[in-house]
Amino acid sequence: RRVQRDDRSGGPATMAAIFNFTSWITMALLFICACAFLHRKFTYKFGDPQTQGFSGLWWKAARIGERLSPWVSVGCLFMAVHTLFVA
């Protein structure tokens, strides 16, 4: 039985981002960037650092995006170059 291959990466056609390290890093960076952006736009929703659960995870990701902004930007650029030219 033949396995279908994805034309871009040469890997299996169906692979979740949780099992592929490159995709996982890309999703984490996108999540951090999105949370930082939403925190700037909607401060009243993300303003409480004592929030528990999923909302607390959004606030913590926004805080990481704000405080480590240069490093997150470098990571995004690196992953963009990797996605466009390597994968």
Side-chain angles (χ1 to χ4, degrees), residues 1-81:
R1 185 173 152 207
R2 299 178 91 193
V3 177
Q4 271 190 327
R5 300 273 179 195
D6 188 8
D7 291 334
R8 291 178 294 149
S9 65
T14 56
M15 179 180 267
I18 198 168
F19 299 120
N20 187 350
F21 184 71
T22 305
S23 297
W24 189 85
I25 293 293
T26 304
M27 292 301 295
L29 285 170
L30 287 173
F31 181 71
I32 289 171
C33 292
C35 288
F37 174 76
L38 290 174
H39 181 69
R40 294 251 180 198
K41 287 290 189 183
F42 307 108
T43 305
Y44 57 90
K45 296 251 186 196
F46 293 98
D48 187 17
Q50 301 299 327
T51 306
Q52 299 291 323
F54 190 70
S55 298
L57 181 67
W58 282 55
W59 183 83
K60 290 174 186 170
R63 182 62 62 194
I64 290 170
E66 290 171 355
R67 293 194 178 170
L68 297 176
S69 182
W71 292 103
V72 172
S73 299
V74 168
C76 287
L77 287 174
F78 176 75
M79 290 309 296
V81 169

